[in-house]
Amino acid sequence: MEPVAIVQGTAVPLDRSDVDTDQIIPSDWLKRVERTGFEKGLFSEWRDGEDFVLNDEAYAGATILLGGPNFGTGSSREHAVWAIQQYGFAAVISSRFGPIFKNNATKNGLVPCEVDASVAEKLMAAVQADPSLEITIDVERATLEAPAIDLEASFDLSESIRTRLLGGLDDIALTLQNADAIDTFEASRPSYMA
Amino acid sequence: MATNDGAKTLSENGAKTLSEKVWDRHVVQSSDGEPDLLYIDLHLVHEVTSPQAFDGLRLSHRTVRKPNLTVATEDHNVPTTDIDQPIADPISAKQVDTLRANCDEFGVKLYSMGDINQGIVHVIGPELGMTQPGMTVVCGDSHTSTHGAFGALAFGIGTSEVEHVLATQTLPQPHQETMAITITGELPEGSTAKDVVLAVLKQVDTGGGIGAIAEFRGPVIEALSMEGRMTVCNMSIEFGAKAGLIAPDATTFEYLKGRPNAPTGADWDAAVADWSTLVTDEGATFDREVVIDGSTIVPYMTWGTNPGQVEAISGSVPNPADFADAGARDAAERALDYMGLSAGTPFRDVKVDTVFIGSCTNSRIEDLRAAAAVAKGRKVKDGMRTLVVPGSGLVKAQAEEEGLHEIFKEAGFDWREPGCSMCLAMNPDKLVVGERSASTSNRNFEGRQGRGGRTHLVSPAVAAATAIAGTFATPADLD
Ligand code: SF4
């Protein structure tokens, strides 16, 4: 995955709670065996609606997806992360993420910014009022800033995930550095567990 | 705000909860500020979330580290009729073919369509005795929590993690909080395991379990069969929990004994002795606690578009204006609009078009017996579409041996081949726009069972009664 240190840009306000991964990418799209080409499937059931926010010209070119609470709940499909990323988003903001989605995001370098509910609500109102509002997400410091509305907030990011995002590190290669420990562990398992 | 992945709160007295015990047994490597590296005992694979993972292995010239701890099945895409024919949808066919080629190339055991052991991934693991107490079980599928019914630590993972487990048989995992969900007392007659978990969802909502591993406990849970426990653990993910589990006991051991992959002879005795230690210690504390009085649990259904939107079947469509929380009010309004329901309508007056009995929540033999008991000697309402989809080839065979298929057919139910089917509509079994279903599955998300479809989650007994009544009904309503 590509390293990511700073995400800077405007945001699309998706003001709904409980946007599950079935909505982010409906199951028809899950039949593909490739890892690319999912941008067309992003919110495909909602995209036909003219007033769906992703179709609003005012938000064209946004690099941040601003969601409501419980974003990315439901199915484990990593396709949801691929679709968001391939559409052009580099970060997602919500006050609470579905845990598998959040984990999948970090494996692909999509920055999940889990902020306090008050911060998410303030941002939502601000971005709805001014689509050109600039937001800067700093992975190193785990902060989110929108100077125009005097907002500076931190978000939850563990040390190990921060390192992986900043370095674009491959988790499997990191784990294989512990190959000896895995061998030792395996040798100690009960024989009936194969 | 930085959190420490290594941080963990142990009860001061050193007492451990069940999930902590299972976790601790699997730590391969642990260091400060890093997630623990956990060993994975069983990795289940299906066609939807694995192709890109196998591709990743190929690209980096890696192999499957432990093919004998990895098992694959075809379930999400498979048709439930004419399974002797090639899969008609070329994209589905390609995905299934890709799984077959990958399993062949990497030496992974695969149960294919038509094999008696084929079925929904979370049904076959337990019934083949692969899922055992104290194990870590993962699968690229959020309902992996089902296997927690055996006292295993079982959770869903994404495709990158599938690749990670294939390559290393381990997974780095940050510590989770612990959550106790205690169901006290006794279930009233007519309430089932599905109603238990819907009651939990009603109380804790879709986000209440996020960041936690939930242990279900208390007399109601202890009294459930393994099938019922699987139904409960299956839906842990619907309230956001990483996993849900139940301490193994005599019911667990009895279920496992003699199954194909269960230990035998002296190994069996050793295993049971060991498994019997997998209980939450006296004095261990949980980070979150939920208590529900089992005697208040009635037959429930969902009315909205997330599984936390639950009401009693005897009730009526809620009025969004009654929700104090603005977010919940908004969500309720949008849900009623999508579901085509108006506030105040009694559920027993809501007409249903399709009844789906199946999915990894409720497609086991006991679920089919419960539905058949209701169907017996009755007739499905005219115009009602029905699908009864057993969870696996073995469930289907068992049901046919017991004559359940005849009961269903006589009543007018459509008896199908095993698979995920209308649970997520990746195969031809779909709702059409505006069609309303009573479904024994686990998700009522918009479009989950087909574009524009309207899903209500219910128990197998309620699904069968609804098929007969034509509107939402419990078996008691039929008398
Ligand atoms: S039955 Fe439904 S929930 Fe279960 S594995 Fe299949 S698609 Fe997923």
Side-chain angles (χ1 to χ4, degrees):
Chain A
M1 91 191 186
E2 295 295 317
V4 49
I6 302 278
V7 178
Q8 198 161 25
T10 57
V12 179
L14 182 61
D15 192 7
R16 310 182 179 206
S17 68
D18 295 278
V19 171
D20 55 76
T21 54
D22 272 74
Q23 308 318 316
I24 298 173
I25 188 137
S27 64
D28 273 353
W29 288 87
L30 270 50
K31 296 182 183 183
R32 307 179 72 253
V33 296
E34 299 81 13
R35 204 172 185 132
T36 53
F38 290 100
E39 63 279 3
K40 286 201 210 70
L42 181 66
F43 298 120
S44 65
E45 296 289 316
W46 292 343
R47 283 231 325 253
D48 294 349
E50 255 170 51
D51 49 5
F52 183 56
V53 68
L54 228 54
N55 298 329
D56 187 338
E57 273 301 313
Y59 295 103
T63 52
I64 299 166
L65 181 60
L66 175 57
N70 296 338
F71 186 89
T73 50
S75 152
S76 65
R77 57 189 72 172
E78 200 159 314
H79 313 67
V81 169
W82 302 334
I84 290 173
Q85 217 170 24
Q86 288 162 15
Y87 185 87
F89 295 112
V92 192
I93 304 172
S94 166
S95 61
R96 193 158 57 181
F97 288 106
I100 306 181
F101 173 85
K102 184 178 178 186
N103 197 30
N104 287 341
T106 64
K107 305 279 176 192
N108 289 272
L110 175 71
V111 183
C113 305
E114 198 156 24
V115 295
D116 282 345
S118 61
V119 172
E121 282 161 22
K122 185 170 177 192
L123 264 179
M124 188 63 78
V127 172
Q128 284 173 333
D130 175 13
S132 68
L133 183 80
E134 279 282 330
I135 300 173
T136 302
I137 292 162
D138 184 329
V139 174
E140 171 91 55
R141 291 165 52 223
T143 56
L144 178 157
E145 285 172 52
I149 55 163
D150 251 348
L151 179 87
E152 181 172 353
S154 56
F155 59 91
D156 189 49
L157 197 66
S158 73
E159 195 56 51
S160 65
I161 288 174
R162 181 201 316 243
T163 314
R164 282 164 176 75
L165 288 173
L166 288 171
L169 300 179
D170 168 6
D171 251 352
I172 299 182
L174 287 175
T175 293
L176 288 174
Q177 291 173 359
N178 297 310
D180 289 351
I182 303 176
D183 288 342
T184 311
F185 186 93
E186 256 166 10
S188 72
R189 297 174 75 241
S191 58
Y192 61 81
M193 289 178 86
Chain B
M1 171 172 36
T3 49
N4 180 1
D5 268 337
K8 169 177 164 183
T9 44
L10 246 195
S11 306
E12 272 161 27
N13 49 12
K16 288 188 197 175
T17 65
L18 165 60
S19 69
E20 288 163 342
K21 286 184 183 177
V22 180
W23 183 291
D24 290 352
R25 294 176 162 212
H26 290 88
V27 177
V28 170
Q29 175 94 17
S30 171
S31 45
D32 268 357
E34 283 289 312
D36 283 351
L37 188 64
L38 294 188
Y39 197 81
I40 303 302
D41 295 316
L42 176 62
H43 184 193
L44 300 163
V45 173
H46 63 78
E47 75 273 19
V48 178
T49 52
S50 67
Q52 296 87 354
F54 282 112
D55 256 354
L57 286 187
R58 257 189 300 270
L59 280 173
S60 43
H61 307 286
R62 289 179 176 132
T63 55
V64 174
R65 182 181 173 97
K66 280 285 194 182
N68 59 330
L69 303 183
T70 314
V71 177
T73 187
E74 301 162 0
D75 54 4
H76 286 63
N77 277 274
V78 300
T80 54
T81 52
D82 304 320
I83 59 161
D84 47 343
Q85 304 294 312
I87 298 179
D89 175 352
I91 320 178
S92 288
K94 182 173 176 195
Q95 194 163 60
V96 170
D97 285 344
T98 303
L99 178 69
R100 291 176 185 175
N102 282 330
C103 287
D104 198 39
E105 178 181 343
F106 289 95
V108 171
K109 175 86 196 144
L110 167 70
Y111 295 113
S112 280
M113 233 163 69
D115 187 317
I116 183 134
N117 292 327
Q118 176 267 344
I120 304 173
V121 66
H122 309 308
V123 175
I124 69 165
E127 78 185 356
L128 294 175
M130 292 186 281
T131 306
Q132 295 168 18
M135 279 186 163
T136 44
V137 181
V138 297
C139 174
D141 193 286
S142 56
H143 293 101
T144 308
S145 57
T146 312
H147 307 263
F150 291 79
L153 182 61
F155 51 93
I157 57 178
T159 296
S160 294
E161 291 174 307
V162 170
E163 183 181 338
H164 193 285
V165 177
L166 289 173
T168 70
Q169 204 58 36
T170 64
L171 206 54
Q173 283 296 307
H175 270 283
Q176 305 285 320
E177 290 189 359
T178 53
M179 179 174 185
I181 300 177
T182 307
I183 318 287
T184 60
E186 212 178 314
L187 280 188
E189 168 125 22
S191 299
T192 67
K194 183 67 163 277
D195 302 309
V196 171
V197 72
L198 288 175
V200 174
L201 274 151
K202 184 169 163 55
Q203 179 148 338
V204 305
D205 213 343
T206 50
I210 287 184
I213 297 174
E215 180 181 339
F216 297 97
R217 37 199 340 233
V220 166
I221 299 296
E222 286 160 24
L224 290 177
S225 65
M226 288 315 294
E227 284 86 350
R229 294 179 190 185
M230 285 189 255
T231 299
V232 171
C233 289
N234 174 271
M235 289 187 76
S236 307
I237 183 72
E238 307 312 335
F239 53 90
K242 168 109 189 162
L245 77 180
I246 294 171
D249 60 11
T251 307
T252 321
F253 309 148
E254 196 181 317
Y255 176 97
L256 271 173
K257 191 161 192 182
R259 298 214 173 234
N261 294 279
T264 52
D267 281 345
W268 172 259
D269 298 335
V272 169
D274 178 41
W275 295 341
S276 304
T277 67
L278 294 173
V279 291
T280 290
D281 290 331
E282 195 77 41
T285 53
F286 292 86
D287 298 305
R288 306 177 206 175
E289 297 230 33
V290 172
V291 179
I292 296 176
D293 174 357
S295 69
T296 64
I297 295 176
V298 294
Y300 290 111
M301 62 184 277
T302 62
W303 50 268
T305 53
N306 76 55
Q309 292 171 319
V310 170
E311 283 298 334
I313 292 184
S314 57
S316 50
V317 179
N319 189 342
D322 295 341
F323 289 86
D325 176 73
R329 189 159 58 234
D330 240 35
E333 263 167 26
R334 207 170 10 241
L336 292 195
D337 183 44
Y338 179 86
M339 297 297 286
L341 293 171
S342 31
T345 312
F347 293 122
R348 285 181 172 126
D349 292 348
V350 176
K351 186 178 165 294
V352 173
D353 308 301
T354 292
V355 164
F356 169 63
I357 298 175
S359 92
C360 57
T361 317
N362 283 126
S363 64
R364 299 179 190 83
I365 189 67
E366 186 176 275
D367 302 314
L368 301 185
R369 285 181 193 138
V374 177
K376 190 166 185 165
R378 296 191 167 107
K379 288 280 179 224
V380 164
K381 186 81 174 175
D382 273 352
M384 174 77 67
R385 176 158 75 128
T386 57
L387 289 91
V388 185
V389 184
S392 69
L394 283 169
V395 171
K396 179 168 186 261
Q398 172 76 25
E400 293 185 348
E401 199 182 304
E402 295 178 19
L404 304 184
H405 65 313
E406 295 300 347
I407 296 175
F408 283 123
K409 286 187 202 165
E410 268 161 37
F413 285 86
D414 200 354
W415 179 245
R416 296 291 184 99
E417 303 290 341
C420 294
S421 180
M422 202 185 260
C423 174
L424 94 166
M426 275 186 84
N427 78 344
D429 308 336
K430 294 179 201 294
L431 296 180
V432 299
V433 177
E435 193 175 354
R436 186 179 307 283
S437 81
S439 172
T440 65
S441 53
N442 44 41
R443 287 192 171 137
N444 53 344
F445 299 153
E446 288 183 25
R448 171 77 179 184
Q449 294 192 285
R451 185 164 194 199
R454 295 163 169 164
T455 301
H456 298 270
L457 305 176
V458 297
S459 72
V462 167
T466 300
I468 287 150
T471 51
F472 288 101
T474 64
D477 295 334
L478 300 177
D479 298 331

